[in-house]
Amino acid sequence: MDDILVEPHDGWRRVILNRPARLNAVNADMLPRLLTAIDAAEADPSCRAVILTGAGRGFCAGQELGPDVTPGPNGPPDLQKLADTCHHQVVRRIRASRLPFICAVNGVAAGAGASFALACDIVLAARSATFVQAFIRIGLVPDSGASFFLTRLVGDARARALAMLGDAIDAETAERWGMIWKTVDDTALGSESEALATRLAKSPAAALAAIKTMFAAAPDNTLHQQLDLEARLQGQAGRSADFAEGVRAFQEKRPPRFQ
Ligand code: T3D
């Protein structure tokens, strides 16, 4: 069975983590296939948005607690290498991508699985989904961007407690705390995420890519640096056919048709 499934749709694609019996826990064999799926979406000009989701009752239970992380004859596993070459590449690719990534969190998101979700641009979660900073439960520390995302999304106090206690929080709490965009009924997750992908696929693609660039830079920039960046990216957007069409459509009182 393929552990990464890719479903092409009109203007967007769905990438599905597919090891449901292990709650889609990831490993060093599977993660390169996830990277390939992300790269393929990036390289396809007809692809304008990606939904990342999981098969079965979980989204992703983080690193598979199996051979990759089990001490062998040569001693303990090299988790730094594993993070650098696999998990962290996923986060880097999502964040560097021109494409808007929607995460449809269909069930538990634990450890690196929660980080993959938070790396996405818009996170929708099924009401029954949970988020667990599972690292501490097995003597590890947050990775795959967890300490970066959490401190920014929910603030230092909540981020520290989540990381140190490893308690699960439900999707509604995650929404209330600003960790995710929205909680939806379990049965509506598929249709709501598809509607979002379809909408983003029809939105001005270059402007969406520029928004990603802008938001990636914001945490490290001063206000003045960010104003400079916004002006540069706005200049770029102002020269685009999409902007000309957007203004024309407004003046003609009709919906815009972006390229
Ligand atoms: O180098 C590096 O950077 C390493 C990377 C580290 C990043 C990480 O992600 S560290 C964190 C690794 N993940 C975990 O520690 C989570 C382990 N799983 C759990 O704590 C629980 O399964 C959950 C809280 C996620 C869900 O609990 P529950 O009760 O809903 O399900 P379950 O019964 O525990 O799991 C269902 C099956 O999935 C079960 O298999 P079985 O007994 O039915 O055959 C379970 O063993 C399997 N499973 C769940 N998570 C993993 C897993 N198998 C392997 N690895 C897992 N991570």
Side-chain angles (χ1 to χ4, degrees), residues 23 33 43 51 68 111 125 135 148 162 169 183 226 233 236 245 251:
L23 301 179
R33 287 189 279 277
I51 296 176
D68 292 346
F135 312 92
F148 179 95
L162 289 174
I169 60 165
T183 301
Q226 196 66 10
L233 293 173
Q236 194 178 293
E245 164 63 8
Q251 291 167 345

Side-chain angles (χ1 to χ4, degrees), residues 145-166:
S147 58
F148 179 95
F149 299 131
L150 282 177
T151 48
R152 284 163 174 79
L153 292 169
V154 303
D156 195 69
R158 283 171 170 158
R160 282 177 193 250
L162 289 174
M164 290 185 170
L165 302 175

